[in-house]
């Protein structure tokens, strides 16, 4: 799911004045058995549906030390979580611990909504996946704890691939991959001229920026001299990546090229796409759920997405983090609960379900496991958006999507990327 921020910056900004409020020193020095507070935890629905035993075990361990503290786990949905959180933070009923998508953390760090984290309290903090750790860090301080990681990979229809190439194994060299897509396109055209062998929506900026990263480019770079971020999409490296992506869209997308990727799993479910570039869970969405196609069960597979120059396509590092709210009066309890919920024992539970853990050590075995190899190997070299103040704004998606649309409609990459750089520079160093 594309997690677009619907953030109320003004509401959350009021939290800056209370950022110093924290746990009562007297309470935190009490005997654990004498603590009688409540601890409210907001987790997303995946924890309830896919790894409920992890929640149960963490609560049980916490209860051993704090038998009289009541932990209230409340499950949220991505569609309205941000709006609910902003509303609660503006009032007097708010969670003590909250799960955030890693693209959401910067907004709340800048607004003073999150308490600083003592990384020494977390047993695997020295091996946290860098991409996730970066989403929790600002100006040398840490404000959240990596929970789990994800990355994008190729999701493909084995029957379509085999019909065009004679093999249902996706090539991992881009030249061979695109040759395969040409063959699949030719085969699909015999039956459905609107079906795409490689379905890249034109406004899919996550994919476009993956090609930017593949050529050594970046959305923006931090300038040590000025102590500011500088947009860099007009660099030669970035322009090569953007052009490569647009060329793929124009050649292989036989449908509406101006769409974004939010429904690309549905496009595959309707047998209109041979390959999409998505998150691992989207492979399941193709065959199950409200819009899934059960007839494709067993026919959808995943693999690494081949990129230019003989290398895998770098992926955006996705995933979730956990944070303690700065207004909480039980910050110490919140940190301790998160520590139990994200320790090595807990990460074993996630790994057993083919969910990528928060640290490199426990990620390593998943790189060789058939079910997780593609996504696990995409994580170490994954890229992330600029860790800059203004990047928390929803406007950055509009800037990147509009740039891609202009190029698709005939504007040169040089002109469109230069305009995008100007807009990003105006946005990226904006203070919350």
């Amino acid at each position: 799911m594309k997690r677009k921020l619907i953030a109320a910056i003004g509401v959350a900004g009021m939290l800056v004045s209370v950022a110093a409020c924290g746990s009562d020193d007297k309470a935190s020095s009490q005997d654990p058995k004498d603590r009688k507070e409540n601890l409210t935890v907001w987790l997303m629905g995946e924890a309830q549906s896919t790894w409920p035993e992890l929640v149960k075990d963490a609560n049980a361990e916490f209860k051993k030390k704090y038998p009289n503290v009541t932990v209230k786990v409340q499950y949220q949905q991505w569609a309205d979580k941000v709006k609910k959180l902003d509303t609660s933070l503006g009032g007097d009923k708010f969670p003590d611990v909250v799960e955030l998508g890693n693209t959401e953390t910067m907004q709340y760090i800048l607004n003073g909504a999150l308490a600083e984290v003592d990384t020494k309290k977390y047993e695997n903090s020295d091996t946290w996946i860098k991409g996730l750790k970066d989403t929790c860090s600002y100006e040398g301080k840490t404000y959240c704890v990596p929970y789990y990681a994800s990355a994008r990979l190729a999701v493909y229809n084995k029957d379509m691939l085999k019909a065009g190439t004679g093999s249902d194994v996706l090539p991992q060299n881009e030249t061979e991959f695109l040759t395969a897509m040409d063959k699949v396109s030719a085969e699909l055209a015999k039956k459905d001229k609107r079906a795409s062998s490689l379905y890249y929506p034109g406004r899919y900026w996550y994919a476009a920026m993956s090609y930017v990263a593949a050529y050594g480019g970046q959305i923006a770079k931090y300038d040590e001299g000025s102590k500011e971020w500088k947009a860099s999409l007009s660099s030669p490296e970035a322009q090569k990546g953007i052009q490569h992506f647009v060329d793929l869209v124009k050649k292989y997308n036989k449908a509406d090229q101006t769409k974004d990727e939010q429904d690309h799993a549905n496009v595959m479910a309707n047998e209109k796409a041979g390959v999409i570039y998505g998150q691992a869970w989207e492979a399941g969405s193709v065959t199950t759920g409200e819009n899934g196609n059960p007839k494709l069960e067993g026919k959808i597979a995943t693999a690494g997405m081949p990129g230019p120059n003989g290398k895998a396509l770098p992926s955006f590092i996705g995933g979730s983090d956990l944070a303690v709210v700065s207004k909480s009066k039980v910050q110490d309890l919140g940190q301790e609960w998160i520590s139990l919920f994200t320790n090595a024992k807990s990460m074993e539970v996630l790994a057993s379900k083919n969910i990528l853990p928060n640290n490199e050590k426990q990620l390593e075995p998943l790189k060789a496991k058939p079910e997780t190899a593609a996504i696990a190997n995409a994580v170490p070299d994954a890229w992330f958006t600029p860790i800059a103040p203004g990047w928390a704004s929803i406007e950055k998606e509009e800037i990147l999507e509009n740039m891609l649309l202009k190029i698709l409609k005939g504007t040169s990459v040089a002109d469109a990327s230069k305009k995008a750089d100007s807009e990003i520079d105006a946005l990226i160093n904006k203070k919350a």
Side-chain angles (χ1 to χ4, degrees), residues 17-23 115 325-328 331:
S17 63
V18 297
C21 298
S23 301
V325 171
S326 60
K327 292 177 70 173
S328 171
Q331 289 183 23

Side-chain angles (χ1 to χ4, degrees), residues 119-166:
T119 58
K120 295 178 182 178
K121 294 183 178 181
Y122 301 88
E123 66 173 296
N124 51 23
S125 60
D126 57 340
T127 59
W128 280 343
I129 292 170
K130 183 180 183 301
L132 283 184
K133 183 178 179 181
D134 287 347
T135 70
C136 288
S137 306
Y138 186 66
E139 295 186 340
K141 296 181 179 180
T142 304
Y143 293 91
C144 54
V145 176
Y147 176 12
Y148 65 86
S150 68
R152 285 169 170 78
L153 69 173
V155 179
Y156 69 99
N157 184 309
K158 293 190 292 183
D159 283 359
M160 285 187 183
L161 182 64
K162 190 170 184 177
T165 68

Side-chain angles (χ1 to χ4, degrees), residues 5-8 11 42 77-89 108:
L5 300 181
I6 316 169
V11 174
W42 277 20
Q77 301 302 316
W78 289 111
D80 63 354
K81 190 281 302 291
V82 168
K83 185 176 181 179
K84 286 179 64 176
L85 180 60
D86 289 340
T87 300
S88 70
L89 291 176
Y108 293 103

Side-chain angles (χ1 to χ4, degrees), residues 177-394:
F177 169 68
L178 295 181
T179 297
M181 292 300 96
D182 291 338
K183 292 178 179 179
V184 174
S185 290
E187 190 65 27
L188 289 174
K190 297 175 183 178
K191 301 178 181 178
D192 188 349
K193 295 186 183 300
R194 300 291 289 173
S196 308
S197 58
L198 172 60
Y199 180 71
Y200 267 148
R203 288 193 288 131
Y204 193 0
W205 70 266
Y206 284 107
M209 295 305 106
S210 286
Y211 285 95
V212 167
Y215 281 99
Q218 295 175 258
I219 297 173
K221 297 180 180 179
Y222 186 71
D223 183 73
E224 289 290 347
S226 64
K227 302 298 181 184
E228 288 189 338
W229 287 83
K230 301 289 186 181
S232 56
L233 287 177
S234 55
S235 70
E237 297 84 1
Q239 288 189 42
K240 285 182 182 178
I242 296 168
Q243 186 67 64
H244 192 119
F245 170 76
V246 171
D247 288 345
L248 293 176
V249 173
K250 288 182 175 179
K251 183 174 183 179
Y252 294 105
N253 184 342
K254 306 301 181 182
D256 182 355
Q257 296 181 351
T258 66
K259 296 179 68 175
D260 64 23
E261 80 284 6
Q262 291 196 65
D263 70 342
H264 64 174
N266 294 342
V267 174
M268 176 167 273
N270 290 325
E271 299 183 73
K272 297 289 186 180
V275 180
I276 62 172
Y277 182 54
Q279 300 190 61
W281 60 264
E282 290 183 290
S285 298
V286 174
T287 58
T288 61
E290 183 179 349
N291 298 309
N293 183 352
K295 294 180 181 179
L296 295 179
E297 187 70 42
K299 299 180 180 181
I300 304 302
T302 61
M305 178 64 84
N309 304 318
K311 298 180 179 179
L313 185 66
S315 170
F316 173 81
I317 181 74
S320 279
D321 303 314
L322 293 164
V324 175
V325 171
S326 60
K327 292 177 70 173
S328 171
K329 295 182 179 180
V330 287
Q331 289 183 23
D332 61 321
L333 296 179
Q335 284 218 42
E336 193 149 356
W337 188 89
I338 294 175
S339 179
L340 291 169
F341 194 68
T342 60
N343 63 19
K345 181 181 177 182
S346 294
M347 290 297 103
E348 285 179 9
V349 175
L350 293 184
S352 72
K353 296 177 179 293
N354 296 332
I355 303 299
L356 303 187
N358 65 6
N359 65 92
E360 293 279 1
K361 183 178 180 180
Q362 291 175 286
L363 177 70
E364 197 62 31
L366 299 185
K367 294 179 182 179
K369 189 176 180 180
E371 301 92 330
T372 55
I375 187 170
N377 282 292
V379 165
D381 296 324
W383 59 275
F384 195 67
T385 49
I387 311 295
W391 197 258
S393 170
I394 191 174

